[in-house]
Amino acid sequence: MTDNFKSGTIGPQEIVSGDCLPCDEENEILSLRPGRLSEYIGQGEIVETLKIAIEAATKRLEPIDHVLFHGPPGLGKTTLAHIIANEMGGKLTTTSGPALEKGGDLIGMLTHLEEGDILFIDEIHRTPKSVEELLYPAMEDFAIDFVFDKGIHARSHRYRLNRFTIVGATTRAGLLSSPLRDRFGIFRNLDFYDERELVQISIRSANLLNIQMKKAAAEELSKRSRGTPRIVNRLLKRVRDYAQVRADGVITFDTVEAALSLEGVDSKGLTKLDRKYLRTIIDFYHGGPVGIEAVAATLQEESDTLVDVVEPFLLKTGLLVRTSSGRKASEAAFRHLGLKIDRQKTLF
Ligand code: ADE
């Protein structure tokens, strides 16, 4: 075990330590993220799994098993990768599946990892196949196999790596190949947070930002944050602006309502895009069922965005139903949008 394993010092350019954060992300939002498991609110079973795995690995003086997190954006996959690095005292290197275009991109990172370091691969399902194949021996045997020549002259040379941990994150676990999926010892789904947890997160964030917020305001903000901590924190900042400019600086129920209606966020937390998505199914396809590609074409949006960002919360809240013949807007969706359910028109 090197000193680095414990010290979390900063190394080459793309390497960030657990508490040194990528510069493309807003510092204030990042400072709202918990840095330790003890500060983490929600995802109780995942936190307990990680506490046990980290304590056991630390006792054995080994890195923790490779970890795969899947679930919709904003639920804490990246935060947990930072926390694992902090708790293990290793450096965190971050990359993403699409950024790993060539084998050399990955080899460069792997060969710079020291004992106990963490390699975080976001959107791991988008890693090119040729790069993914390099990951198999790296994850299983901490080695890279270099192959020279072809056919009967083929020779291979095994390059040993320091023992490290991969933390993978994906919004689409179903798109991961099984050889890759099977190499993760810990595989956890992050679910939406309940309102009580979001209230706790918003109060913690308001304290960190040094702003006063009433309990009813925290409850309303949480109700409208689509079960997602990243959205709570983003909306909290818009509400703070509103309270400071249009009120006396204290966040009340009324300031939350006024600020969020300006943001286009409705009483259930749906955004303009969510409502446009549901209206498209209702207005153009008689409520469904309709295929995602048809909805995406009508909306002129990427179908991946709809599947990853828009649909999970609508499915969770029962406003959208997925059937074998396509997507359908539920009766609750008609009611929420203030529309009459015309049974003659709807195809279901
Ligand atoms: N900020 C963002 N996500 C959080 C979480 N799960 N717990 C505490 N603070 C957070």
Side-chain angles (χ1 to χ4, degrees), residues 32-34 39-41 193 201 204 229 233:
L32 299 179
R33 283 180 179 175
E39 298 166 32
Y40 201 92
I41 295 161
Y193 292 63
I201 291 173
R204 176 180 179 275
N233 287 336

Side-chain angles (χ1 to χ4, degrees), residues 92-140:
L92 183 76
T93 302
T94 55
T95 185
S96 72
L100 296 170
E101 284 178 14
K102 297 180 269 68
D105 300 331
L106 179 67
I107 291 171
M109 288 187 176
L110 291 174
T111 52
H112 279 94
L113 294 176
E114 302 205 30
E115 189 86 1
D117 282 353
I118 310 287
L119 177 62
F120 175 57
I121 309 180
D122 201 6
E123 295 188 79
I124 193 167
H125 63 278
R126 294 178 62 194
T127 309
K129 193 77 200 157
S130 60
V131 179
E132 182 182 316
E133 281 166 4
L134 282 171
L135 275 175
Y136 303 157
M139 291 174 78
E140 208 154 77

Side-chain angles (χ1 to χ4, degrees), residues 146-157:
F146 290 99
V147 181
F148 305 98
D149 286 346
K150 286 190 182 138
I152 54 164
H153 299 295
R155 290 163 295 128
S156 93
H157 172 73

Side-chain angles (χ1 to χ4, degrees), residues 29-37 39-43 47 74-76 79-80 83 193 197-198 200-202 204-205 208 228-230 232-233:
I29 280 276
L30 290 182
S31 68
L32 299 179
R33 283 180 179 175
R36 293 278 170 187
L37 282 174
E39 298 166 32
Y40 201 92
I41 295 161
Q43 310 292 348
V47 168
L75 297 188
T79 304
L80 286 170
I83 290 179
Y193 292 63
E197 292 162 345
L198 293 178
Q200 284 178 270
I201 291 173
S202 68
R204 176 180 179 275
S205 298
L208 289 172
T228 307
R230 185 187 292 162
V232 168
N233 287 336

